[in-house]
Amino acid sequence: MRGFQFKRGRGLMPTSMKLFCLALFVGTNLLAQDTNLVEKPPLENTATITFSGLYNGINPWTNFAVVHRPMPPAYQPLLSPSPRTRPVDGGNLNVAITWDNACVSNHGFNQNVRDHTGDNSGIHHELGGGVLFGTSRYSMSFSKPVEISSLWWTYYLPYSFGANRGSISVFKMRDDVIPLKSMELDYFDSMGYVWHELTNFSGMLISKMVFDPGIEGYGLNVDDMVVHTKLN
C-alpha cells in the first residue's frame, strides 16, 4: 500500500505500524458504508401462526364464559410475535392482517377444542390451545403479498353426508372476486378434530384467503399456518 509507506531512515514503515494503519483504513470504510447499525430487529421471511399468542398469560383477549369469540383486530402475529408461547406464535414479517368474520376458540374455555399445535400447557387457558375458527364464511387479508406454504384444517363435528364439505380459496389481490386457486375440503372422519395438512397454495403470492365451512354450523378450524414473505 503506497499510501502507508512512510520513510524511516532509508527503510519502510515497520510491519506492526502497517497493520495498524490498514485496520484503521478498513474500519473507517466499513463505518462509512453502513450508518444503520442501530437496534433494528431483522425482518424475517418465514413465520408460523399458531393462534396461541392470544392466550399468553398476560392480557387474554377473550371472555372465557363463551365457547368462541370474534378474532380481535389487535391480534397481529406477523407484526408482533408472542415469544412466551412454545413454539413462538408469529414473527416479525411486517405484515398486517385484516380479519373478517373470523373467530378464535381455545381449549381453556372450551375443553372440546383440540388444537393441532398441541401447546396447551397452562393450568387453565393461559398458554396455547388456540385455533382460527368459523361456522360461516370468514377471511383474512394481508397488507402485502405472502405465500402460505402449509396450514392444518379440521371440523369439530364428525362426518355427515354432504355437510363437511367446505373450501379454502386464495386471491392474488384483496379486491379480486375470482380466486387464484380454490381447494375443496372433504372431511370423512368419524370424529371431530382430526387434522389434515393443506399445501396446495405453496409457491403462490396472495393477498387474501377465504375459508368457507360449507353448511353453516359445521365449524371449520385452522391452525399452524406457515407464512413466507420476500425480504425487502
Side-chain angles (χ1 to χ4, degrees):
M1 297 183 59
R2 295 182 179 178
F4 295 108
Q5 294 180 357
F6 296 104
K7 294 287 183 82
R8 184 185 177 192
R10 292 185 178 180
L12 299 177
M13 182 185 357
T15 303
S16 59
M17 184 60 73
K18 285 183 182 178
L19 292 174
F20 172 78
C21 293
L22 179 61
L24 184 63
F25 174 76
V26 171
T28 304
N29 271 294
L30 286 175
L31 285 174
Q33 290 172 15
D34 192 350
T35 58
N36 295 317
L37 298 176
V38 213
E39 299 189 5
K40 281 189 177 178
L43 288 178
E44 304 163 6
N45 65 349
T46 300
T48 300
I49 305 177
T50 66
F51 303 99
S52 297
L54 291 164
Y55 312 95
N56 58 15
I58 304 173
N59 294 305
W61 293 105
T62 58
N63 175 351
F64 296 103
V66 295
V67 295
H68 59 268
R69 294 289 287 174
M71 180 68 77
Y75 176 59
Q76 294 294 333
L78 301 183
L79 290 176
S80 302
S82 302
R84 291 191 59 183
T85 58
R86 295 292 182 271
V88 171
D89 179 14
N92 182 28
L93 271 61
N94 198 29
V95 175
I97 301 174
T98 301
W99 308 97
D100 183 21
N101 201 37
C103 294
V104 60
S105 195
N106 173 266
H107 179 81
F109 58 93
N110 179 1
Q111 294 186 359
N112 293 319
V113 172
R114 294 191 295 275
D115 75 314
H116 177 264
T117 315
D119 60 347
N120 182 52
S121 58
I123 297 175
H124 298 296
H125 52 252
E126 294 180 349
L127 292 173
V131 295
L132 177 64
F133 167 80
T135 56
S136 58
R137 181 177 294 192
Y138 60 98
S139 70
M140 55 192 300
S141 301
F142 306 93
S143 61
K144 65 180 181 181
V146 300
E147 175 194 355
I148 310 293
S149 62
S150 170
L151 61 82
W152 292 81
W153 66 273
T154 190
Y155 282 87
Y156 69 75
L157 289 175
Y159 169 74
S160 175
F161 182 76
N164 309 70
R165 184 163 190 164
S167 66
I168 300 179
S169 305
V170 294
F171 297 79
K172 184 176 182 180
M173 306 299 293
R174 298 175 68 160
D175 296 330
D176 286 352
V177 292
I178 299 176
L180 193 61
K181 189 169 189 176
S182 185
M183 295 300 303
E184 289 189 346
L185 308 176
D186 288 316
Y187 191 79
F188 297 116
D189 298 277
S190 59
M191 59 185 294
Y193 288 109
V194 177
W195 289 94
H196 300 271
E197 187 178 17
L198 181 65
T199 60
N200 300 73
F201 304 130
S202 181
M204 300 180 178
L205 285 177
I206 66 166
S207 297
K208 184 173 68 173
M209 179 172 276
V210 175
F211 308 87
D212 189 345
I215 292 182
E216 190 166 341
Y218 278 66
L220 173 59
N221 293 253
V222 175
D223 203 2
D224 293 337
M225 182 181 294
V226 182
V227 184
H228 310 270
T229 61
K230 289 185 177 181
L231 289 176
N232 292 328

